[in-house]
Amino acid sequence: MQQVTENVFTTTKLRGCNPSYVVTSAGVVVVDTPQLPSKAVRMREEAESRGPIRYVINTEHHVDLIFGNYFFRGAGTVVHHQGVYENFMVPTADLDPFDYAAEAVPTDDPDGAALFPARDEYYANPNKGELVFNSDLDLRVGGRTFHLIHTPGHTPGQVAVYVPSERVVFTGDTVFSECQTWLMTSDVNQWVAALDIVRDLDVDFVVPGHGPVTTKKYLPTQRAVLLEWVSAVANAVALGWSREETISRVNFAARYPVDIGQGYMMDHIQTLNAASLWDKLTAAGDRT
Ligand SMILES: [Zn+2]
């Protein structure tokens, strides 16, 4: 694990999200869990070596930030927003999250195969939230405050976890640091507003959902990536391009690599980012 501050640890080198934990005098608070089974088990052991795990917080419902909760059963209270709870490992038209988690194991975690549960076994107790909230929530652990700030946009149940005593914020995928941004399930207008909320926090470090630990200086870049996507697809719609034409012509693959282990998803990301924005920007016309 990478030590970010005296008490904050993360890893940005695994396939999946950047799972993290914060050490306090009264135990450990985990923020997002490793998707890969053996990495989840190892991070739990490491966290527990520094004190009992008090809380496991999820910043959003995407599979790579929540699947590892299964390996933290019995380790502290799971906390997340109602929007995470409602979408927790629910299959959608685009993705079966359980299959997606399973598909990474042979290539990225062969040692984890023996730990990987059968589907029925998993869904019997995936370790969803016990403490579920609707707006913001403050947790106090060992004299430290963890502000869970609702920052919807990338997902509806998105939170930023702001730890003033460490001058750190964990944003989940509100920030993709120097890697491709996935925006297919997103509301980009809300997402831009979420970046403003993060910008106003008094922090030295931003722990993103993907990519290297960064600072608030990266936030305008993330905003630009979002606005470039919207602008490019808005122009496509204005020019009368079809959905297929838009997908084939609007592409930001050259801007950043995909995060670790998912390079093969590049075309999928470009296609679904363009398609989902085209659908949203033409939806009003469909309704009239
Ligand atoms: Zn995400």
Side-chain angles (χ1 to χ4, degrees), residues 60-65 154-155 158 172-173 176 182 185 210:
E60 62 173 76
H61 77 268
H62 283 156
V63 52
D64 53 322
L65 294 91
H154 174 68
T155 65
Q158 199 81 25
D173 294 357
F176 285 83
W182 300 54
T185 60
H210 294 275

Side-chain angles (χ1 to χ4, degrees), residues 63-210:
V63 52
D64 53 322
L65 294 91
I66 63 171
F67 180 75
N69 282 25
Y70 181 81
F71 303 101
F72 284 74
R73 287 168 299 161
T77 302
V78 176
V79 186
H80 44 234
H81 192 274
Q82 181 76 26
V84 177
Y85 190 84
E86 288 170 0
N87 292 293
F88 198 99
M89 292 295 286
V90 176
T92 65
D94 291 328
L95 187 81
D96 180 313
F98 185 84
D99 286 347
Y100 186 80
E103 133 196 335
V105 173
T107 48
D108 295 82
D109 188 21
D111 293 345
L115 300 165
F116 199 87
R119 183 181 286 265
D120 291 356
E121 191 186 347
Y122 171 78
Y123 276 100
N125 180 13
N127 203 18
K128 287 175 71 169
E130 290 179 275
L131 181 49
V132 178
F133 59 101
N134 274 302
S135 51
D136 298 344
L137 178 73
D138 285 354
L139 299 173
R140 300 188 204 285
V141 186
R144 289 166 194 280
T145 302
F146 294 73
H147 296 291
L148 281 59
I149 305 168
H150 189 209
T151 46
H154 174 68
T155 65
Q158 199 81 25
V159 298
V161 181
Y162 171 40
V163 191
S165 60
E166 300 296 321
R167 300 181 59 80
V168 168
V169 61
F170 304 88
T171 64
D173 294 357
T174 297
V175 178
F176 285 83
S177 171
E178 296 168 44
C179 57
Q180 283 286 326
T181 292
W182 300 54
L183 49 73
M184 33 282 216
T185 60
S186 305
D187 180 319
V188 174
N189 292 331
Q190 285 187 339
W191 192 338
V192 169
L195 289 170
D196 288 344
I197 293 171
V198 175
R199 180 193 61 195
D200 290 342
L201 302 176
D202 190 15
V203 295
D204 298 325
F205 296 105
V206 174
V207 179
H210 294 275

